[in-house]
RNA sequence: GGCGCGGUCGCCAAGUGGUAAGGCCGAGCUCUGCAAAAGCUCUAUCGGCGGUUCGAUUCCGCCCCGCGCCUCCA
């Protein structure tokens, strides 16, 4: 079975194949906006993309995959953050980029081949906007901003099936079920409500964040969507094999990218579109207002490991909303232990690679990670038999689970606890069971767990 | 209002037109003085009502409930 992925444009499962003669598969994954720590929902999409990357490597070879993921380092949010903290924009974005990289590493994500930043590609974006203006697909508004003229692109709305972006009677906004502030939406200067910004003229609140714009426009900065069009073209070419991101990017972001790129390049932008679904927390989308937003650091502070989070993210189908619960992390830690135990049990054993075919089949079938995990445990439950260690490791590579046991944390054991443990051990050696039991109870009360071995014991702090 | 998704064991979660994977929790057992660890065993008829079919959890229709996007969010 060949690798197949769902394609959002045709809404069907389509095989994944390189379209260019060099056999290199090119894919672009919309990356983070670096203004704060990414939350675990963001990481769901990056982990899913990491599995795509890994599956592509297994499918075509590591040297036949080109993976690009951008960094959005200039937009309203980054600028606001810098202004609030009275720091230069680059200082803020570099800080959060470093944090993002650290989190990705902790989650065992492979590093993209290219990680272009928007601010490093201003000329490319300006050029693209220039072309669009020259072709009549974009216009300059009175304030010097440039907008894309949606009506100039017939295919607009094909991806999202949203033909009109205007507010209609009965829309969410009209219905009043929104408390969001729409005053900052740059609607004033647009010829049509559906048009979107390619270039945003400088405003006082932008501070020193500004660049020269296309000819005849004012200083300013690029709109959000254009960076992906420009950077994808620069690093992967006018037509790419796959473009990915979270569902929320489907509209307007990806719809707009298609419009810009296809009008500019006169060729298909992406052969294949893949969108991962949202991670929900306690049944709702994460949001600061609901207070159900978690970062990797927060989970670590609660004593959970990044691998456990990765496992939890794998436990749901990537294209289905996944309901995250903290208890899932505990379940994941246990499952991971089983995996580690199995791996240790088969050590360097060789066996029948075909034994694990079901796991790879599930993965190749639109990245069905939960089914793959199910198949894996099904095999594990039938015993170590002729399990092939190398094949097992390939599975771990594919889903990116690092089974290396978490580094032994050095824990200071208080002297009084050690003393109690020594006394109990002595009582046990003397077969004075009542005394031993009393001492065990005392140790437990003190918050520690004494685990006996044949030749000694271990002490661990009791988990809350 | 438009577009889309989902409702499967206590929790998480796959799946198929022929009576439902897996993980966690729980229960019982084995092994250990106890505990821990490990091993074994056990636990669902798939939101509701109709329809199609020899047969539906799986296809169609309606209803109920939940979620997402439509607003520079992964």
């Amino acid at each position: 079975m060949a690798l197949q992925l769902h394609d959002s444009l045709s809404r069907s499962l389509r095989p994944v194949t390189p379209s260019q003669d060099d056999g290199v598969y090119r894919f672009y994954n919309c990356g983070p906006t670096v203004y704060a720590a990414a939350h675990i929902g963001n990481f769901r999409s990056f982990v899913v993309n990491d599995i795509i990357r890994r599956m592509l490597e297994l499918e075509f070879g590591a040297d036949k995959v080109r993976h690009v993921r951008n960094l959005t380092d200039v937009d309203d949010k980054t600028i606001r953050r810098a202004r609030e903290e009275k720091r230069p924009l680059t200082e803020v974005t570099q800080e959060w980029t470093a944090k993002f990289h650290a989190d990705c590493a902790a989650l065992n994500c492979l590093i993209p081949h290219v990680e272009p930043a928007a601010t490093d590609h201003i000329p490319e974006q300006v050029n693209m906007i220039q072309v669009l203006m020259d072709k009549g697909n974009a216009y300059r508004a009175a304030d010097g901003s440039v907008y894309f003229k949606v009506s100039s692109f017939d295919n607009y709305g094909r991806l999202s099936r949203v033909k009109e972006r205007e507010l209609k009677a009965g829309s969410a906004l009209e219905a009043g079920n929104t408390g969001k502030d729409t005053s900052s939406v740059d609607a004033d200067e647009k010829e049509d409500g559906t048009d979107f910004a390619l270039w945003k003229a400088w405003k006082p609140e932008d501070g020193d964040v500004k660049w020269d714009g296309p000819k005849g426009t004012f200083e300013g900065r690029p709109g959000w969507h254009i960076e992906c069009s420009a950077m994808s073209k620069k690093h992967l070419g006018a037509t790419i094999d796959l473009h990915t991101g979270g569902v929320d990017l489907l509209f307007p972001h990806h719809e707009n990218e298609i419009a810009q790129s296809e009008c500019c390049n006169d060729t298909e932008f992406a052969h294949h579109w893949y969108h991962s679904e949202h991670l929900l927390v306690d049944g709702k989308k994460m949001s600061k207002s609901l207070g159900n937003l978690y970062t990797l650091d927060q989970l670590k502070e609660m004593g959970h490991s990044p691998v456990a989070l990765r496992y939890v993210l794998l436990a749901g189908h990537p294209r289905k909303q996944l309901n995250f619960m903290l208890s899932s992390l505990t379940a994941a830690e246990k499952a991971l232990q089983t995996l580690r135990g199995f791996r240790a049990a088969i050590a360097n054993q060789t066996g029948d690679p075909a034994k694990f075919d079901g796991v790879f089949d599930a993965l190749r079938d639109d990245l069905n990670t939960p089914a793959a995990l199910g198949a894996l445990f099904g095999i594990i439950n039938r015993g170590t038999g002729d399990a092939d260690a190398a094949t097992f490791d390939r599975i771990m590579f594919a889903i990116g689970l690092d089974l290396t046991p978490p580094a032994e944390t050095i824990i200071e054991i208080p002297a009084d606890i050690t003393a109690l443990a020594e006394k109990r051990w002595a009582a046990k050696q003397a077969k004075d069971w009542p005394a031993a039991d009393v001492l065990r109870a005392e140790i437990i009360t003190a918050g520690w767990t004494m685990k006996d071995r044949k030749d000694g014991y271990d002490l661990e702090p009791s988990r809350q």
Side-chain angles (χ1 to χ4, degrees):
Chain A
M1 185 201 276
L3 175 60
Q4 291 197 300
L5 284 180
H6 182 265
D7 171 36
S8 311
L9 194 56
S10 63
R11 296 195 182 187
S12 62
L13 219 53
R14 289 179 49 214
V16 149
T17 33
S19 61
Q20 298 197 23
D21 296 337
D22 59 9
V24 173
Y25 194 83
R26 290 154 228 266
F27 91 102
Y28 185 95
N29 170 22
C30 280
T33 300
V34 282
Y35 73 109
H39 59 242
I40 59 175
N42 295 318
F43 282 116
R44 178 182 200 195
S45 108
F46 299 126
V47 164
V48 168
N49 273 275
D50 184 56
I51 295 169
I52 292 179
R53 157 78 179 274
R54 289 163 179 274
M55 286 304 290
L56 288 171
E57 287 199 4
L58 288 178
E59 202 77 357
F60 305 127
D63 58 335
K64 293 294 184 188
V65 180
R66 192 160 166 85
H67 174 197
V68 176
R69 183 181 63 205
N70 68 296
L71 292 165
T72 297
D73 60 353
V74 55
D75 78 323
D76 289 351
K77 296 191 294 284
T78 47
I79 291 172
R80 192 190 320 129
R81 184 97 188 193
R83 195 176 64 234
E84 283 168 2
E85 299 181 352
K86 297 184 169 46
R87 299 163 70 197
L89 178 68
T90 50
E91 194 182 301
V92 170
T93 56
Q94 277 168 13
E95 176 191 332
W96 292 111
T97 297
K99 179 60 187 156
F100 176 68
H101 286 159
D103 285 350
C104 283
L107 285 168
N108 200 214
C109 289
L110 297 175
I111 299 166
H113 303 288
V114 189
E115 216 175 1
T119 55
D120 290 335
H121 295 75
I122 301 294
E124 287 85 352
Q125 298 178 73
V126 168
N127 288 343
M128 205 158 188
I129 296 169
Q130 191 68 60
V131 172
L132 290 168
M133 289 174 80
D134 293 346
K135 284 182 153 186
N137 294 296
Y139 57 90
R140 201 205 90 162
D143 69 349
S145 292
V146 180
Y147 294 96
F148 184 88
K149 192 181 179 68
V150 167
S151 62
S152 73
F153 182 58
D154 289 341
N155 277 335
Y156 195 82
R158 255 182 84 210
L159 180 67
S160 59
R161 264 74 162 177
V162 174
K163 205 59 184 162
E164 301 293 327
R165 220 184 132 189
E166 294 134 307
L167 306 179
K168 291 180 186 157
S171 76
L173 271 176
E174 292 276 315
N177 53 353
T178 173
K180 293 185 186 173
D181 173 29
T182 53
S183 63
S184 66
V185 174
D186 31 32
D188 321 337
E189 313 287 342
K190 292 191 273 188
E191 290 178 1
D192 188 292
T194 65
D195 294 346
F196 56 90
L198 293 170
W199 187 258
K200 305 178 80 159
W202 181 86
K203 285 177 292 195
E205 55 263 43
D206 294 342
D208 60 354
V209 179
K210 61 184 180 205
W211 292 268
D212 285 333
K215 276 181 298 202
T217 68
F218 299 166
E219 286 185 316
R221 59 184 163 101
W224 173 37
H225 317 294
I226 195 71
E227 66 176 71
C228 288
S229 286
M231 299 194 291
S232 144
K233 181 179 183 181
K234 175 171 182 185
H235 297 287
L236 294 173
T239 300
I240 62 179
D241 293 311
L242 173 69
H243 194 119
T244 65
V247 266
D248 49 339
L249 296 183
L250 211 136
F251 185 86
H253 189 52
H254 289 165
E255 196 71 74
N256 293 353
E257 281 184 48
I258 293 174
Q260 297 161 345
S261 290
E262 301 200 348
C263 286
C264 175
N265 305 326
D266 293 312
T267 182
E268 185 185 26
F269 179 43
H271 287 312
H272 202 139
W273 289 85
Y274 179 88
H275 293 94
S276 54
E277 254 295 350
H278 281 303
L279 178 73
L280 305 181
V281 171
D282 300 327
K284 301 270 193 222
K285 184 178 167 180
M286 273 184 288
S287 72
K288 283 179 194 136
S289 55
L290 284 174
N292 61 353
L293 191 149
Y294 295 114
T295 63
L296 191 60
D297 280 350
Q298 288 175 309
L299 298 184
K300 284 201 268 191
E301 279 161 24
M302 291 180 220
H304 298 292
S305 66
V307 225
L309 174 62
R310 180 153 182 139
Y311 186 96
V312 169
L313 298 177
L314 256 36
H317 189 115
R319 288 195 307 100
K320 220 175 132 179
Q321 292 173 343
L322 173 63
N323 191 21
F324 174 85
M325 321 201 77
L326 286 173
S327 59
S328 305
L329 289 167
T330 314
E333 303 276 9
K334 290 286 179 56
L336 248 8
Q337 266 315 113
T338 301
L339 254 22
R340 291 189 186 104
F342 185 78
R343 181 60 185 82
I346 60 176
N348 298 316
Q349 181 173 308
T350 53
D352 179 15
K355 188 182 174 83
F356 293 109
D357 279 357
V359 180
F360 287 108
D361 285 347
L363 252 16
R364 280 191 280 256
D365 181 16
D366 199 29
L367 260 36
N368 194 335
T369 47
L373 251 17
L376 218 210
F377 277 95
I379 293 162
I380 288 175
N381 292 338
R382 268 174 258 125
T384 51
D386 53 353
D388 188 63
T391 308
F392 181 87
D393 289 345
R394 281 209 324 146
I395 292 171
M396 291 306 116
F397 169 79
I399 57 181
L401 284 185
D402 179 0
L403 296 183
T404 311
E408 285 294 320
T409 36
I410 312 294
I411 301 166
E412 300 269 333
I413 301 171
D416 54 330
I417 301 296
T418 311
L420 282 174
E422 283 299 328
K423 275 175 74 179
R424 196 193 79 89
W425 185 250
K428 179 179 172 174
Q429 296 311 102
K431 295 198 190 295
D432 181 355
W433 309 134
D437 288 346
V438 168
L439 286 159
R440 174 184 288 290
E442 282 181 37
I443 292 167
I444 289 171
T445 307
W448 291 75
T449 301
M450 184 169 179
K451 294 181 176 176
D452 294 357
R453 294 189 318 262
K454 271 208 160 53
D455 54 343
Y457 60 87
D458 293 313
L459 280 169
E460 290 177 7
S462 308
R463 284 209 71 174
Q464 308 299 329

